[in-house]
Amino acid sequence: MPIEPNESPTSDVPAAVPSLARRQWLAAAALNALLPAWAADPASTSGPVPTDPADTADTADMPTGPGRISMATLFADHTMGRASLSSDGRYLAAVGDAADMPLAFVLDLTTRKAHSVTPNTREADRWRARIDGHARDVHWIGPDLLVLRTTRSVSLVMKPDGTLIRRLDGDFLQRLADAPDGAERLLLSEKEVLHTVNLRSGARATEAIDLPDTLTHTAFDVDGRLRAATTRKSSRWSGDVVWTQWYRPAGGKWEQLAQEKADLPAWTPMRALEDGTLAVWTRGDRDAHAVFRYDTARRALGELMAGHDTDDILGFSDRDSSTFESVVTGGLKPERIWFDTRWARVQKAVDAALPDTVNVLLRTKHARATPEGAKLSGHVLVHSFSDVDPGRWYSLDTATLHMAEVGVAMPDIDPAAMRPTQAYRYAARDGLKVPAYLTRPAGQGPAPTVVLIHGGPWSRDHWGWDPEVQLLAAQGYAVFQPQFRGSTGFGEAFLRAGYRQWGLAMQDDITDGVQDLIRRGIADPARIAIVGTSYGGYAAMWGLVKTPRLYRCGVSFAGISDLATQMSNNWADDSTAASRRMWRELVGDPDTAKASLDAVSPLRNADRIEAPLLLVHGWHDQRVLREQSESMLKALRRHGKAVEWLPLNTGHGLSSRAVQRRYYRDMLAFLAKHLAPADAKA
């Protein structure tokens, strides 16, 4: 087999080293760099990675299932992430999290030694972190030169040992061709101004983007020149939004290509191609978003470059690389489409060596296009993740197709002990095929089931590592995640099928998916709960209203109970005329259709609920105000319904480890009480 995942790239790491031992020394090296106090010898790293001292025995260390995986382990920081490999394959640079702090480090794969390159860690320099921000990601721009980008849009150019070469204000975009004297040059952006920086002299050439209105999208050419852009102009009073598409020929001035009044632009630029055309993201005359060529001379769409019959194209090869190489579809599982057949062959070989995973080939940001027909050379980083593995990284020699594991996100997670997630589609009552994910617990026969509803609702779940799903599966629950109509990534028709369908067809999709699990003997019909956050919280409450005998209990975190009130209270998503108009189109207008909104509002139908409900809400939530849950609590108590109340010191989500532990502890206890077998309750 040409690709050997356990083969070492160096002579001092034997090819026969098993994966567990490799993970141990990688974890030890990373921890040594991140938190010296946690340093450990690889031979003694079989114990768990240290966790937050605030984790208590009855919460964080509470076993979650037969494998006794603690909550702290499932929700632990990623020791390694956002990684980059030097082109010669010697150094791995990455940003990991430790004690909720992002820290950057460089791992020398030839010596197994790691050291921190996190800026401003000394006590005397802590004040500067307030100016520079924290480590965000790292990128190699040469075999012995890297850029660390921070959360405050500062780019730090340094050597592998952390020696600072330049501190640059602005976000690093890509490395440009060297100056005539051989000096390295970088392209940065700062407040709609582009900077070309000579690293040797520090000299900057600045270029204002100089476009009217608000810049929303940009596209560069192979030489790092900004060639296309999209701007937006919004009317404060009418809510009208005008989108303008711009193009600038090499060495020329901006030209207006198109202008339209719409909620969203018809297309957005992705890359300026060498023949003077643009690669743009649009539906064209298709249902799913795809990549088309746009003819800037004719000012019209051209040929389809890449697309999928049912799934939207959601991403493309990093705009910071020198070439437009690939796109990623957004269906049930992501799929990368390569334009270069050589890289497509490499992808196929990697996927064969690492089956049942998503494998992303990460090229360095200074890599130039390999001439057509030439043999690939150098090293690339492969990021591999799955439903049972939070992620690991491999160094791939493109010349020999030998591959070696060089990093792991969460060393204490054993993929063999996790539960796999199945991606599939089921038929709704009107025949629509609804995408879904199903994670089944260990054991046979119908299982108690948690129906887990995503927020948005114009959002979606993704196939991959999900600690909440694994937490529930470890408790013995099947976890069902329906991607009901209105979820994103599955085409325009599927998205629009959810417009103004809160509590109607969107909810029916959820019900139909649950009934399908019952018919197939997967879900125990007497032990089903519905759980969700934000829109998912609304769906959980409405599920108890609309299908009161289907669910044994429900959990609503930050759920909307009264649609008309939510649409009228200047909430965070309803703060402009444009956003108010959009939300009224998507959900309904309280001024003209209040009766329709009331008919699908849990608060107005609280008397129909029969199953126990746990209401959870953050005290500081500005997106869905706390009153939405408090009003529902009062209504349920007034009707004598079984309800529990859990206010949390957070906003619209889980803002801290302490809040996270409290929520999952109480949610698991609530589910255990109400989903217990009938004989156990007796």
Side-chain angles (χ1 to χ4, degrees), residues 157-475:
V157 183
M158 61 182 67
K159 294 189 174 185
D161 62 3
T163 301
L164 184 64
I165 305 299
R166 294 276 178 194
R167 179 194 178 278
L168 303 172
D169 288 320
D171 266 323
F172 164 70
L173 294 181
Q174 70 181 74
R175 178 173 174 175
L176 303 174
D178 291 346
D181 63 356
E184 299 91 344
R185 297 189 311 147
L186 303 183
L187 179 67
L188 292 87
S189 68
E190 181 186 21
K191 298 178 181 178
E192 297 194 8
V193 176
L194 298 175
H195 303 266
T196 299
V197 181
N198 184 306
L199 286 185
R200 188 171 298 174
S201 66
R204 285 191 180 218
T206 61
E207 175 190 8
I209 295 176
D210 197 26
L211 283 172
D213 308 323
T214 303
L215 186 69
T216 62
H217 298 81
T218 57
F220 293 81
D221 65 15
V222 67
D223 296 315
R225 294 172 297 191
L226 179 62
R227 299 288 297 278
T230 303
T231 60
R232 181 189 68 224
K233 182 178 181 180
S234 301
S235 168
R236 178 185 295 271
W237 308 112
S238 70
D240 291 340
V241 180
V242 177
W243 301 91
T244 306
Q245 306 291 351
W246 302 90
Y247 176 70
R248 179 166 57 182
K253 297 183 179 180
W254 286 111
E255 302 173 359
Q256 181 176 308
L257 295 177
Q259 191 173 77
E260 61 180 328
K261 184 186 296 185
D263 291 334
L264 296 171
W267 59 269
T268 54
M270 302 171 72
R271 171 69 64 185
L273 305 176
E274 294 185 9
D275 61 1
T277 63
L278 301 175
V280 302
W281 185 72
T282 181
R283 289 194 304 113
D285 57 358
R286 297 162 42 89
D287 177 59
H289 277 88
V291 181
F292 282 82
R293 190 181 298 273
Y294 184 90
D295 189 323
T296 56
R298 294 175 47 245
R299 301 191 177 183
L301 287 180
E303 63 178 335
L304 174 70
M305 296 179 66
H308 191 281
D309 290 341
T310 60
D311 302 338
D312 290 328
I313 297 290
L314 293 187
F316 59 98
S317 55
D318 197 342
R319 72 177 60 204
D320 303 337
S321 65
S322 62
T323 56
F324 183 75
E325 297 174 319
S326 63
V327 293
V328 179
T329 65
L332 278 167
K333 288 186 180 180
E335 177 186 353
R336 185 168 294 272
I337 302 171
W338 287 92
F339 296 111
D340 189 322
T341 57
R342 295 166 300 176
W343 285 106
R345 287 194 295 268
V346 172
Q347 181 77 61
K348 184 177 180 180
V350 170
D351 291 343
L354 302 172
D356 303 320
T357 59
V358 174
N359 304 303
V360 183
L361 307 184
L362 302 171
R363 298 186 63 200
T364 56
K365 289 184 177 291
H366 70 286
R368 306 295 292 181
T370 307
E372 190 70 28
K375 185 177 180 180
L376 299 177
S377 62
H379 289 75
V380 297
L381 192 64
V382 178
H383 180 209
S384 181
F385 64 91
S386 74
D387 49 347
V388 296
D389 190 342
R392 59 195 64 240
W393 289 262
Y394 298 87
S395 172
L396 172 66
D397 186 329
T398 58
T400 64
L401 288 186
H402 285 176
M403 186 163 64
E405 184 179 315
V406 296
V408 59
M410 298 177 69
D412 287 340
I413 295 298
D414 178 8
M418 301 296 108
R419 301 304 303 163
T421 297
Q422 174 193 359
Y424 70 106
R425 282 180 166 85
Y426 62 91
R429 63 191 65 184
D430 61 358
L432 183 69
K433 294 295 185 180
V434 180
Y437 300 103
L438 174 65
T439 306
R440 302 182 69 175
Q444 300 295 320
T449 299
V450 173
V451 181
L452 191 60
I453 309 300
H454 69 69
W458 300 281
S459 179
R460 59 167 298 172
D461 296 305
H462 294 273
W463 186 86
W465 170 255
D466 188 327
E468 181 179 34
V469 169
Q470 293 297 332
L471 175 69
L472 291 167
Q475 295 291 316

